[in-house]
Amino acid sequence: MAKALETVNNSLNSLGATARMNQNAQAKLLEQLQQVTASNGDFNQQLQGIKNDVQAVKMWAETKLPVDVSRLHQRPQINSTDEYRAWLSLRYSVPTPPKQSNSK
């Protein structure tokens, strides 16, 4: 009978130790869950901020360019001063400077 009681007592002690280990593990897991939940909240806020930024950039990109900027895209390629004067004279009247003589 004493042997049986000792076996039961040992089993109870072992179960108690296992229960304490389980409680400690659960406490650690709960703490980790709280940390992950807090991190997830921060991540969701950052993600929402990025989504708002992307929408703002998308709206900005879809707006029409100002007229002056649009005209820059329509400019022809100019390779010399004569071509530049010719291009300007189509738009604005620019007098051609008098030719200077090289004789003195």
Side-chain angles (χ1 to χ4, degrees):
M1 177 88 163
K3 184 81 171 165
L5 284 176
E6 187 178 332
T7 304
V8 169
N9 192 27
N10 287 341
S11 295
L12 288 175
N13 287 338
S14 177
L15 284 174
T18 303
R20 283 189 295 281
M21 287 180 9
N22 282 341
Q23 285 175 344
N24 290 338
Q26 285 179 357
K28 286 179 184 177
L29 287 174
L30 183 59
E31 184 179 325
Q32 289 175 352
L33 177 63
Q34 290 170 346
Q35 290 173 352
V36 168
T37 301
S39 296
N40 189 32
D42 293 343
F43 173 77
N44 284 337
Q45 286 178 347
Q46 290 175 348
L47 183 61
Q48 190 60 43
I50 291 170
K51 285 180 183 179
N52 292 341
D53 289 346
V54 167
Q55 289 172 354
V57 169
K58 200 182 272 188
M59 286 174 46
W60 172 82
E62 290 173 355
T63 59
K64 193 170 183 168
L65 289 174
V67 175
D68 293 333
V69 175
S70 296
R71 273 191 283 156
L72 290 174
H73 292 286
Q74 298 169 358
R75 257 182 75 174
Q77 183 177 358
I78 298 172
N79 297 317
S80 68
T81 56
D82 290 335
E83 288 178 9
Y84 180 68
R85 268 193 219 103
W87 177 76
L88 280 177
S89 64
L90 292 174
R91 302 179 69 214
Y92 308 106
S93 176
V94 175
T96 304
K99 301 250 181 194
Q100 295 181 353
S101 63
N102 292 338
S103 61
K104 280 195 170 184

